Amino acid sequence: GILRSAPRLAFRRPSCIFALPGGIRPMALTNEKFILALYGSQARGDADELSDIDILSIGNEPRSLSAYDGNVATSVSHYNWVEFRAMHQYGSLFLWHLKTQASPVEYNSTGLAEYTRLMETLPEYKRSSKDIEAFRHSLKDVRQALDSDDAGLEFELSSLATTVRHSCILGCYLARKPEFGRYSSVRAFCEIAGLPSEIADEFQHLYQFRMMVERNKEAPSRCGLDAYADYCLAWSEEIVEEVAKCYEQ
C-alpha cells in the first residue's frame, strides 16, 4: 500500500530561526495531555521571506511557544484530541506532513505518547478521489470566471496557485515520494509526471498572487493578465489530470 514502507517516526530537532531554551523539552506534568510541534518550512530548514512559524497545538486549549522570534508571524493550528484522532482515521495528508517533517518542541509525557502512537499507526490517505474531484471543480470555476467579463483575475490566479500546490502534494504522496514544500512539491511532481520544468519555475510567480490575496502583498507585475491566466489554467489542468493518473494506477 501507499507509503506503508515509511520509516518509523523520528523526532527531529528544529533547525529554525528561533531558539528554545534547553532545546526540545517536556513540560511540567499536568492532567491534560498536550503537545506543541514545529512543522513546515521552519522544521524543514528551507524557510524564506514568505515563511511563517507553523505550530501544531494539540490539547483542550490552544497553546503557543514560550520562546520564538517575535519578528516572524506565527501560525498556530490547534486541534483537540478528538479532532486529531478523527483526522488519523482517514490518514489525513496533514498528518503525513507532520509524520515526515514535524518536530515536537513542548509536551508532557502523556501528550507525547499519544502523538507518537497516532503517528506510528497512521493509515493510508482515504480521500484522494474526493480531492481530485474538488481540484477539477476548482479549475472549472476558474474557467467559468475567466470566460466572464467581470473576473477578478488576481483572485482567480490565487485560486489556481492553491489548487496546484495541493494537487502536487497529493501527487507526490500517491507516487510514494512525499513532498510538502511550497515550491518543492510542485517541482517534485513535475519530475514524477514528466511535465516541463518550466511549470515549476512559473509556479513561483503564480504563487505571488496567493500572497497578494492572503497577506496583502504587493501585486506581481505582469502584462496581459488575461492571457497569463489562460496559460496558467492550461498547465494547472495538466497537473490535476496527471495526479488523477497516479491515483488510478
Side-chain angles (χ1 to χ4, degrees):
I2 297 171
L3 289 179
R4 287 227 172 125
S5 60
R8 285 174 60 84
L9 180 66
F11 294 144
R12 302 171 54 192
R13 184 182 183 90
S15 55
C16 53
I17 59 172
F18 61 91
L20 297 172
I24 301 173
R25 62 188 189 278
M27 304 300 286
L29 292 177
T30 175
N31 291 329
E32 182 216 338
K33 56 188 171 186
F34 77 92
I35 189 168
L36 292 174
L38 179 73
Y39 70 96
S41 58
Q42 303 289 353
R44 290 190 301 270
D46 60 2
D48 59 22
E49 68 280 0
L50 297 178
S51 299
D52 292 341
I53 298 173
D54 294 307
I55 299 295
L56 169 72
S57 167
I58 314 175
N60 291 340
E61 299 293 335
R63 295 172 181 263
S64 60
L65 286 173
S66 57
Y68 66 92
D69 186 340
N71 294 321
V72 178
T74 301
S75 176
V76 178
S77 298
H78 174 72
Y79 303 91
N80 61 42
W81 288 103
V82 172
E83 293 168 333
F84 202 73
R85 291 187 196 102
M87 295 165 67
H88 172 273
Q89 288 182 345
Y90 65 84
S92 165
L93 284 185
F94 178 54
L95 269 63
W96 277 104
H97 182 177
L98 296 173
K99 177 167 181 168
T100 58
Q101 299 180 343
S103 301
V105 289
E106 292 185 5
Y107 48 84
N108 60 7
S109 59
T110 54
L112 181 63
E114 179 70 356
Y115 179 82
T116 302
R117 182 188 71 81
L118 292 171
M119 292 296 98
E120 291 186 341
T121 59
L122 188 60
E124 297 176 8
Y125 183 51
K126 298 179 175 65
R127 299 185 176 180
S128 297
S129 61
K130 292 181 179 179
D131 285 354
I132 291 167
E133 287 309 306
F135 298 150
R136 286 170 169 160
H137 185 75
S138 175
L139 296 182
K140 181 179 179 181
D141 286 347
V142 172
R143 168 56 65 197
Q144 291 175 343
L146 296 182
D147 289 343
S148 69
D149 294 330
D150 58 347
L153 292 178
E154 291 85 357
F155 177 83
E156 301 305 332
L157 289 166
S158 170
S159 178
L160 281 182
T162 301
T163 301
V164 168
R165 181 184 180 187
H166 289 295
S167 296
C168 288
I169 288 172
L170 176 59
C172 289
Y173 170 85
L174 292 171
R176 304 186 185 185
K177 297 180 179 180
E179 183 59 61
F180 299 93
R182 183 192 314 122
Y183 303 134
S184 58
S185 58
V186 178
R187 188 166 300 280
F189 186 70
C190 285
E191 293 176 359
I192 290 168
L195 295 171
S197 60
E198 289 79 11
I199 289 177
D201 296 335
E202 194 60 61
F203 177 75
Q204 295 191 43
H205 184 272
L206 177 64
Y207 199 82
Q208 294 178 37
F209 288 94
R210 181 178 179 184
M211 292 295 96
M212 182 201 75
V213 170
E214 291 193 352
R215 301 188 187 177
N216 296 316
K217 297 287 186 180
E218 183 177 350
S221 59
R222 189 84 193 197
C223 297
L225 272 189
D226 289 293
Y228 179 67
D230 284 329
Y231 163 66
C232 289
L233 177 57
W235 55 256
S236 298
E237 290 170 338
E238 283 188 73
I239 285 176
V240 169
E241 293 313 310
E242 288 297 331
V243 173
K245 289 179 184 177
C246 286
Y247 175 67
E248 292 163 2
Q249 292 172 358

